[in-house]
Amino acid sequence: MRIDLHTHSNVSDGTESPAVLMASAAAAGLDVVALTDHDTTAGWAEAAAAVPGTGVALVRGTEVSALVGGVSVHLLSYLHDPEHPELAGMIARTRDARQHRGRAIVELLAEDYPISWADVAAVQQPGTVVGRPHIADALVALGIVPDRTAAFDTLLSARAGYYVPYYAPDAVDVVRAIRAAGGVPVFAHPGADGRGRVVADRVIEELVDGGLFALEVRHRDHDDAQRARLTALADRLGVAVTGSSDYHGAGKPNRLGENLTAPDVLGRIESEGRTPVVRA
Ligand code: AMP
Ligand code: FE
Ligand code: FE
Ligand code: ZN
């Protein structure tokens, strides 16, 4: 069984539509894929409709933005009720904050480069959850940088002076809201220190007390030292571990299936989650 529990479509910052993503999952030989767009469930219906045609089972999820003392973290929620008011309200506020923050970044960039918000709007579909990758795409379209990776290495890095943070709810509140909505919460790439500061073990303990199910240990942003640290921590705290690609289509080098989750861990997610896995 090849199970990949973390991917993005173009309803957030991936480059493929949900239906094309499902076809890519089939081509990559996956049996099960989770669609986990940032702060939205807008891609669920299209992905579910592609299950019969592709034969790939779908875990419906969301990658929920959160903050821990100013550090930006991501919590994967699997199989939650998308209409639960508390969780749906949280991610709606975050989407709004992302919009304002995207405009603020573009205003800073516009002081030095010929870019406007219309350039960002032109590279995304209406209703997309805005992130720095879309600003990167606009910078590429304008010929200011060659690709997304170059944009993140230069103008969009937190060190470049154009960075603006965005409001997101506290991580413990997010874990509790995910459980209240019948979801199964997993800490995405908790040791991705290449992206900035990471949280201390003590914070992960608080999230486990709040109901965290697992740590996403096998992820390309974790080196061997982080994997060893997080595996030992998960053992000590009695939580599961997952592995995933964090696929973004052509937007990042991550390939579908490059990290996988064990079938028994998926079985536990399925039994704890409120929304069924969609099977062909
Ligand atoms: P934001 O959520 O707006 O702060 O932007 C962060 C997002 O950008 C993450 O979800 C990543 O998927 C994406 N990202 C980070 N680094 C890169 C990169 N080098 N190339 C493409 N996408 C990236
Ligand atoms: Fe992303
Ligand atoms: Fe993430
Ligand atoms: Zn992700």
Side-chain angles (χ1 to χ4, degrees), residues 6 8 38 63 246 248:
H6 184 166
H8 296 265
H38 296 283
E63 186 172 18
D246 204 352
H248 282 67

PDB file of all heavy atoms in Angstrom, residues 6 8 38 63 246 248, ligand 4:
ATOM      1  N   HIS A   6      -0.187  14.143   2.264  1.00  0.00           N
ATOM      2  CA  HIS A   6       0.008  15.602   2.309  1.00  0.00           C
ATOM      3  C   HIS A   6       0.289  16.107   0.893  1.00  0.00           C
ATOM      4  O   HIS A   6       1.397  15.937   0.370  1.00  0.00           O
ATOM      5  CB  HIS A   6       1.167  15.917   3.262  1.00  0.00           C
ATOM      6  CG  HIS A   6       1.426  17.372   3.498  1.00  0.00           C
ATOM      7  ND1 HIS A   6       2.232  17.821   4.537  1.00  0.00           N
ATOM      8  CD2 HIS A   6       1.028  18.480   2.848  1.00  0.00           C
ATOM      9  CE1 HIS A   6       2.299  19.136   4.514  1.00  0.00           C
ATOM     10  NE2 HIS A   6       1.584  19.562   3.486  1.00  0.00           N
ATOM     11  N   HIS A   8      -0.994  19.357  -2.221  1.00  0.00           N
ATOM     12  CA  HIS A   8      -1.665  20.642  -2.498  1.00  0.00           C
ATOM     13  C   HIS A   8      -2.102  20.731  -3.953  1.00  0.00           C
ATOM     14  O   HIS A   8      -1.362  20.363  -4.854  1.00  0.00           O
ATOM     15  CB  HIS A   8      -0.712  21.806  -2.203  1.00  0.00           C
ATOM     16  CG  HIS A   8      -0.327  21.881  -0.762  1.00  0.00           C
ATOM     17  ND1 HIS A   8      -0.964  22.683   0.135  1.00  0.00           N
ATOM     18  CD2 HIS A   8       0.613  21.200  -0.059  1.00  0.00           C
ATOM     19  CE1 HIS A   8      -0.433  22.523   1.337  1.00  0.00           C
ATOM     20  NE2 HIS A   8       0.527  21.622   1.250  1.00  0.00           N
ATOM     21  N   HIS A  38      -3.915  24.432   1.878  1.00  0.00           N
ATOM     22  CA  HIS A  38      -3.782  25.380   2.987  1.00  0.00           C
ATOM     23  C   HIS A  38      -5.118  26.055   3.293  1.00  0.00           C
ATOM     24  O   HIS A  38      -5.682  26.759   2.429  1.00  0.00           O
ATOM     25  CB  HIS A  38      -2.769  26.479   2.654  1.00  0.00           C
ATOM     26  CG  HIS A  38      -1.365  25.997   2.461  1.00  0.00           C
ATOM     27  ND1 HIS A  38      -0.540  25.650   3.505  1.00  0.00           N
ATOM     28  CD2 HIS A  38      -0.618  25.820   1.343  1.00  0.00           C
ATOM     29  CE1 HIS A  38       0.642  25.284   3.035  1.00  0.00           C
ATOM     30  NE2 HIS A  38       0.629  25.375   1.719  1.00  0.00           N
ATOM     31  N   GLU A  63      -4.540  21.622   5.484  1.00  0.00           N
ATOM     32  CA  GLU A  63      -3.343  22.018   6.239  1.00  0.00           C
ATOM     33  C   GLU A  63      -3.660  23.365   6.874  1.00  0.00           C
ATOM     34  O   GLU A  63      -3.777  24.377   6.181  1.00  0.00           O
ATOM     35  CB  GLU A  63      -2.113  22.100   5.333  1.00  0.00           C
ATOM     36  CG  GLU A  63      -0.827  22.373   6.131  1.00  0.00           C
ATOM     37  CD  GLU A  63       0.454  22.276   5.315  1.00  0.00           C
ATOM     38  OE1 GLU A  63       0.386  22.334   4.062  1.00  0.00           O
ATOM     39  OE2 GLU A  63       1.531  22.138   5.918  1.00  0.00           O
ATOM     40  N   ASP A 246       4.189  16.274   0.605  1.00  0.00           N
ATOM     41  CA  ASP A 246       3.938  17.718   0.560  1.00  0.00           C
ATOM     42  C   ASP A 246       4.063  18.211  -0.894  1.00  0.00           C
ATOM     43  O   ASP A 246       4.640  19.268  -1.172  1.00  0.00           O
ATOM     44  CB  ASP A 246       4.899  18.465   1.499  1.00  0.00           C
ATOM     45  CG  ASP A 246       4.383  19.806   1.973  1.00  0.00           C
ATOM     46  OD1 ASP A 246       3.338  20.256   1.478  1.00  0.00           O
ATOM     47  OD2 ASP A 246       5.049  20.411   2.843  1.00  0.00           O
ATOM     48  N   HIS A 248       3.425  19.861  -4.402  1.00  0.00           N
ATOM     49  CA  HIS A 248       2.818  21.116  -4.856  1.00  0.00           C
ATOM     50  C   HIS A 248       2.802  21.172  -6.392  1.00  0.00           C
ATOM     51  O   HIS A 248       2.860  22.274  -6.965  1.00  0.00           O
ATOM     52  CB  HIS A 248       3.594  22.318  -4.329  1.00  0.00           C
ATOM     53  CG  HIS A 248       3.347  22.678  -2.884  1.00  0.00           C
ATOM     54  ND1 HIS A 248       3.727  21.877  -1.838  1.00  0.00           N
ATOM     55  CD2 HIS A 248       2.762  23.757  -2.310  1.00  0.00           C
ATOM     56  CE1 HIS A 248       3.391  22.467  -0.682  1.00  0.00           C
ATOM     57  NE2 HIS A 248       2.800  23.612  -0.947  1.00  0.00           N
TER      58      HIS A 248
HETATM   59 ZN    ZN B   4       1.909  21.470   2.779  1.00  0.00          ZN
END
